[in-house]
Amino acid sequence: MAIVMKTSLVRLAVAAVVGICTGSASALFLTSLEWATETSMSHAWLLWLLPLGGALVSWLYMLYGKDAAKGNNLLLDRIYGGETAVPLRMAPLVLFGTIVTHLFSGSAGREGTAVQMGGSLAEMISKRFKLSGAERKIILLCGISSGFGSVFGTPAAGAIFALEVAALGAISLESILPVFLASYVGHYATLAWGAHHLHYSMGTVPPLSAILLVKIAAAAVLFGLAALLFVKLTHKLKAWFTKLLPNPMIKSFVGGLIVIALVYLVGSRNYLGLGLPLLQHSFEEAAAPLAFLWKTIFTSITLGSGFQGGEVTPLFVIGSTLGSALANLLAVSVPLLAGIGLISIFSGATNTPLASFILGLELFGLQGYGWLYMLIGCAVAYLCSGAPGIYSAQRARRYFKELWH
């Protein structure tokens, strides 16, 4: 009993250390990202350097990246028992690469960066404490949870996300408490450094009615299909770019040129960067009908051609703009359907419906039957999005999906 207690205490202590380190790294990242975004918006000419920026980052990964180039998939492989260690160099490489992407206006997110930084720091800390293989798996989950929870300000969703995204062979009773502890410690460490998060509101939640439930379910079907489109398009473009342009530097350079051409084709810069102005606007009034599609295309090309950054924030934008555009058509509150779209498309693209539901509760609060509307949105979108997810290494087989299809 004494040995078990000692092991548990050590595990929790290491989880707290991982949370502090990851939360601090997220604070640095969020501050740097805010600077890069503001600089990009105030100096429009920086867009013309996007091809060179992508080529530079690809060159650095060719020289120093090695296995770090696998990104989130390396973390999942490691959790599933892979022998390849997560290198510490992953953290500075993905941090620099993502800042370059956003400084030059590439369309990407931030969750992948925070999760990879958390994973690489967790692996390093595990080595320093000389933990066993099973313990390292738990601490790696702590790095993922604290990275996600701290970058979005949603610690509960971060913990559930880490457990759910790597569900097959990863969840154990011993992992739940340290994963939650790391996520909350990481969240408060980020806040302690002065970083801040945006907040959104679904407005007044309407009372329960059968017709509203049907409308939300119908919209959720489209959210699931939009998630499937994003996943399929991004994976296809990665394969096509790699086949046609095997040299990573040339691949990113050409991808940057295509993004620039798209800006002038569409006649708008709204789909560059994180897309937060577009996201905020979608909660205020109905978005343009094709806004979600253009953000999908811009992001898939950016990530497909090798630029660094995450997928989740663009997914939030795609979901909220699609929900906002559907609101008038379905005669539903704009902010309500935008909020449901935001979390539902995340559910479908990542195969994490529970984490997405918890994310909605943390972002929008518990108001009336809002929880039920969000639950239906996440569940239906998850079922309708197909088996593939944005993380190709994800092994968890989704039995409900297989039965559904």
Side-chain angles (χ1 to χ4, degrees):
M1 179 64 71
I3 296 176
V4 173
M5 290 187 63
K6 181 180 179 181
T7 302
S8 298
L9 289 174
V10 169
R11 186 185 300 134
L12 291 175
V14 176
V17 172
V18 169
I20 293 171
C21 293
T22 304
S24 300
S26 290
L28 172 63
F29 172 51
L30 289 173
T31 302
S32 303
L33 186 59
E34 185 176 3
W35 167 81
T37 300
E38 291 178 354
T39 303
S40 174
M41 293 178 67
S42 58
H43 298 82
W45 59 269
L46 287 171
L47 173 63
W48 291 97
L49 299 180
L50 182 62
L52 292 176
L56 170 63
V57 173
S58 293
W59 176 72
L60 289 174
Y61 268 86
M62 288 173 62
L63 284 182
Y64 307 109
K66 298 181 180 179
D67 293 316
K70 296 178 181 178
N72 290 346
N73 290 314
L74 177 61
L75 304 183
L76 292 175
D77 282 336
R78 182 66 167 159
I79 288 171
Y80 296 141
E83 297 297 324
T84 304
V86 180
L88 182 60
R89 61 179 173 272
M90 175 183 276
L93 279 172
V94 73
L95 173 62
F96 176 76
T98 305
I99 296 304
V100 168
T101 297
H102 287 281
L103 179 62
F104 300 136
S105 303
S107 178
R110 52 191 174 180
E111 124 285 339
T113 306
V115 166
Q116 289 176 47
M117 289 194 301
S120 61
L121 291 171
E123 183 87 336
M124 180 269 291
I125 293 169
S126 295
K127 291 179 181 177
R128 293 302 177 98
F129 280 86
K130 299 180 179 179
L131 299 181
S132 66
E135 293 293 328
R136 285 189 179 186
K137 179 189 292 187
I138 294 175
I139 299 306
L140 187 54
L141 285 173
C142 292
I144 294 173
S145 70
S146 56
F148 189 98
S150 61
V151 83
F152 290 118
T154 55
I160 299 297
F161 173 80
L163 295 170
E164 194 175 16
V165 77
L168 188 63
I171 295 180
S172 63
L173 293 177
E174 292 83 0
S175 66
I176 294 175
L177 185 56
V179 165
F180 269 87
L181 176 64
S183 190
Y184 274 90
V185 170
H187 167 62
Y188 287 111
T190 300
L191 294 180
W193 283 106
H196 60 276
H197 306 283
L198 293 176
H199 299 280
Y200 307 98
S201 172
M202 291 198 302
T204 302
V205 176
L208 185 64
S209 72
I211 186 63
L212 180 57
L213 293 179
V214 171
K215 290 178 179 179
I216 290 175
V221 172
L222 297 179
F223 297 146
L225 294 177
L228 179 62
L229 172 64
F230 179 87
V231 171
K232 288 284 191 179
L233 183 59
T234 302
H235 287 330
K236 284 289 186 183
L237 286 175
K238 284 182 179 180
W240 288 341
F241 273 115
T242 301
K243 181 179 180 179
L244 296 174
L245 303 168
N247 186 302
M249 293 175 60
I250 297 176
K251 177 173 66 174
S252 297
F253 188 89
V254 172
L257 290 177
I258 295 174
V259 170
I260 293 173
L262 276 176
V263 170
Y264 287 92
L265 174 66
V266 178
S268 172
R269 297 173 61 94
N270 290 339
Y271 309 107
L272 298 173
L274 289 170
L276 294 181
L278 200 60
L279 177 61
Q280 291 172 303
H281 182 265
S282 70
F283 280 84
E284 297 167 0
E285 58 182 80
L290 295 181
F292 84 96
L293 182 59
W294 282 119
K295 185 60 177 174
T296 298
I297 293 171
F298 271 81
T299 305
S300 293
I301 291 174
T302 299
L303 298 178
S305 59
F307 284 85
Q308 294 299 311
E311 300 93 345
V312 172
T313 303
L315 282 170
F316 288 169
V317 177
I318 295 166
S320 68
T321 51
L322 178 56
S324 180
L326 289 172
N328 284 346
L329 178 65
L330 297 175
V332 177
S333 163
V334 168
L336 175 67
L337 207 52
I340 294 173
L342 184 152
I343 60 173
S344 296
I345 198 168
F346 172 63
S347 170
T350 60
N351 287 329
T352 58
L354 181 56
S356 303
F357 173 62
I358 300 299
L359 178 73
L361 294 180
E362 289 189 290
L363 288 177
F364 305 116
L366 188 59
Q367 181 187 163
Y369 284 96
W371 65 271
L372 179 59
Y373 303 146
M374 290 188 288
L375 182 61
I376 291 173
C378 291
V380 173
Y382 162 70
L383 290 172
C384 294
S385 63
I390 56 176
Y391 309 121
S392 58
Q394 193 177 21
R395 296 183 190 173
R397 304 311 302 164
R398 301 310 189 184
Y399 300 110
F400 287 117
K401 278 191 173 181
E402 292 173 357
L403 290 172
W404 181 263
H405 291 285

